[in-house]
Amino acid sequence: MSSNKIVECVPNFSEGRDLEKVEKIANAFRAKEGVKLLDYSTDKDHNRMVVTVVGEPEPLKKAVIEAISIAVDIIDLNHHEGQHPRMGAVDVIPFIPIRNVSMEEAINLSKEVAEEVVDKYNLPVYLYEKSASAPHRENLAAIRKGEFEGLKDKMQLPEWKPDFGPAQPHPAAGATVIGARMPLVAYNVNLNTDKLEIADVIARKVRFLGGGLRFCKAMGVELTDRGIVQVSMNLTDFTKTAIYRAHELVRVEANRYGVSIVGAEIIGLVPMDALIDTAAYYLGLEGFSTKQVLETHLME
Amino acid sequence: MSSNKIVECVPNFSEGRDLEKVEKIANAFRAKEGVKLLDYSTDKDHNRMVVTVVGEPEPLKKAVIEAISIAVDIIDLNHHEGQHPRMGAVDVIPFIPIRNVSMEEAINLSKEVAEEVVDKYNLPVYLYEKSASAPHRENLAAIRKGEFEGLKDKMQLPEWKPDFGPAQPHPAAGATVIGARMPLVAYNVNLNTDKLEIADVIARKVRFLGGGLRFCKAMGVELTDRGIVQVSMNLTDFTKTAIYRAHELVRVEANRYGVSIVGAEIIGLVPMDALIDTAAYYLGLEGFSTKQVLETHLME
């Protein structure tokens, strides 16, 4: 990639069973200059496809719009069933600033895509997360509540009028949620106890909802195979709620129960800066700049 | 950069005063497809220029050979003086494997450059570090001892016959040292004491020479401005002597003197893997792969 600006996009499509359709959608992200398909996965039970793609803003935007056009064409939510909640053929499209892109730019990108989708397919769009037009629309689950089947009625409520497009669902594709958000770090800390209640109580203390860290969601999980438990966290803005801070806070709370951290894991992708920040904290680095990381110069 | 293979090169040229000449040499690394000039610096007292460049092996090789040709053309060591030891117009050329390149490949690259330099300029070449043909030739200081002025006599000694080219110095450009080595991490740890002897004794214990870590050079340094001292280290293979291990060993030794670590610094460039390894250690990450770092996919 030649550009300085890199945005990530993780669109979710409501098709996880018909692999021919899945490939058609994935193809929108293949062999495109300035766009790189990192991963796509399907789940039959969820009947859902999750794509991870990075690229320069303009080429990425074009590829996303092409994928939407394909999905609207081939997915009919009237015949869709699966365990995962969904309200559209293109269920949700988050844009995530990665390199040399401000949140403002990612928000603009999300709105440009929304406008084009309405123009082209008359598909109603809700903006969410950082793009949201009101606080009650920041949360995906709140927007999606009622799902495809409840859309028609929900859209009549003034507080659930779509941000773009008509106040009635697309007959086959429902509605779409688009927005900008920070990269999410899925970070789990393992504890040397088999008592789920200990992981649960620690999770409640470190997470935002319980008075803990602002950009931390957390719950206790049992790792039955290993006879231990885990505090499973989503860090929704690692630039403000650092990995090391969540880690150390779990340690502090675990102390009270005579429990220790025995390991940790990062699930999926993590931005380089989140790990560099961690290294810099534990070493106590003074005056360190990401520009000192050799590889950052290879991405320019 | 489109290729997967990335090599770094840090050639040192014996010209740090005539900036017109310096620019001519730097130009060899500019506007070349597959080559990126990261930095170049000059020192008038040393009368020396240090270039940092990365690239795909073949384009990088061509650019380095072009720079050598320019340096041989415009630098005359008979009229060179400076504080830094030197024995050639092109004093030393290390090749450093960075991404998807084995040490073996970097060694081959160094030998290819050596052969071409001899063919084109009849410039004698010594191989050093991982490319060395004998253990006594691994160390740059040993090869360079006697400098340009002593080369003529030194080359007559069987143990100092050049690896490539004639056993007599190039009249103006002397001889050149070329080789492959691991990336070097310059890592300094600050201590809350003003006693240089404490930093010195810790340095002696953590470094290879004193029975410490195999790929660690170290010395004590006074930071007079701040009234503290520092253990200044060069980690010559961070994949075997990790940053965190050197850090923790300094801490362990400092304990004996009732002294604590109050900060640290990385000087210059550092490979991403060295910092990720550090983060993974302190968090206790299980099963983490560099492929999970989002940015690694942007470099492919």
Side-chain angles (χ1 to χ4, degrees), chain B residues 95-108:
Chain B
F95 287 99
I96 304 145
I98 298 294
R99 268 185 73 78
N100 301 325
V101 173
S102 66
M103 184 52 77
E104 211 51 42
E105 289 175 272
I107 292 171
N108 288 339

Side-chain angles (χ1 to χ4, degrees), chain A residues 33-52:
Chain A
E33 184 76 30
V35 172
K36 196 173 162 77
L37 177 61
L38 297 189
D39 185 49
Y40 64 108
S41 60
T42 55
D43 186 303
K44 280 185 186 166
D45 296 330
H46 289 181
N47 198 4
R48 193 175 180 84
M49 169 189 193
V50 179
V51 174
T52 306

Side-chain angles (χ1 to χ4, degrees), chain B residues 32-47:
Chain B
K32 296 275 198 300
E33 185 76 31
V35 172
K36 195 174 163 76
L37 177 60
L38 297 189
D39 185 50
Y40 64 108
S41 60
T42 55
D43 186 303
K44 280 184 185 167
D45 296 330
H46 288 181
N47 198 2

Side-chain angles (χ1 to χ4, degrees), chain B residues 182-220:
Chain B
M182 284 297 289
L184 185 146
V185 177
Y187 185 63
N188 302 332
V189 178
N190 299 335
L191 304 176
N192 65 344
T193 173
D194 60 358
K195 296 204 172 65
L196 180 58
E197 60 269 30
I198 292 181
D200 268 335
V201 71
I202 293 172
R204 282 199 294 274
K205 283 171 178 167
V206 300
R207 71 191 180 194
F208 177 65
L209 272 177
L213 298 165
R214 175 158 175 194
F215 297 101
C216 177
K217 300 174 181 181
M219 61 177 187

Side-chain angles (χ1 to χ4, degrees), chain B residues 56-78:
Chain B
E56 302 161 32
E58 278 305 307
L60 181 64
K61 183 174 117 181
K62 277 186 193 145
V64 167
I65 288 167
E66 185 183 325
I68 293 173
S69 125
I70 295 166
V72 168
D73 230 36
I74 62 179
I75 299 175
D76 184 351
L77 275 211
N78 297 293

Side-chain angles (χ1 to χ4, degrees), chain A residues 264 266 268 270 272 286 292 295, chain B residues 264 266 270 272 286 292 295:
Chain A
I266 290 172
V270 59
M272 183 179 67
E286 300 175 0
Q292 289 179 253
E295 282 84 350
Chain B
I266 289 172
V270 58
M272 183 178 68
E286 300 174 0
Q292 288 179 254
E295 282 85 348

Side-chain angles (χ1 to χ4, degrees), chain B residues 10 14 20 28 40 57 68 75 81 92 96 104 113 156 164 174 178 180 186-187 207-208 224 235 243 261 277:
Chain B
V10 189
S14 296
E20 205 175 303
Y40 64 108
I68 293 173
I75 299 175
E81 54 175 32
V92 57
I96 304 145
E104 211 51 42
V113 171
Q156 301 313 311
F164 293 92
I178 305 180
Y187 185 63
R207 71 191 180 194
F208 177 65
T224 41
L235 305 177
I243 296 180
I261 292 174
D277 180 49

Side-chain angles (χ1 to χ4, degrees), chain A residues 208-266:
Chain A
F208 178 66
L209 273 177
L213 298 165
R214 174 159 175 195
F215 298 100
C216 177
K217 300 174 180 180
M219 62 178 187
V221 169
E222 226 172 333
L223 306 186
T224 41
D225 289 359
R226 297 172 60 181
I228 60 174
V229 298
Q230 177 176 80
V231 179
S232 176
M233 295 181 276
N234 272 339
L235 305 177
T236 55
D237 185 346
F238 74 86
T239 65
K240 304 225 174 79
T241 294
I243 295 179
Y244 73 81
R245 204 170 306 131
H247 185 91
E248 293 300 330
L249 205 54
V250 169
R251 188 203 305 281
V252 163
E253 293 298 335
N255 271 346
R256 164 176 292 201
Y257 306 96
V259 164
S260 301
I261 292 175
V262 292
E265 55 182 358
I266 290 172

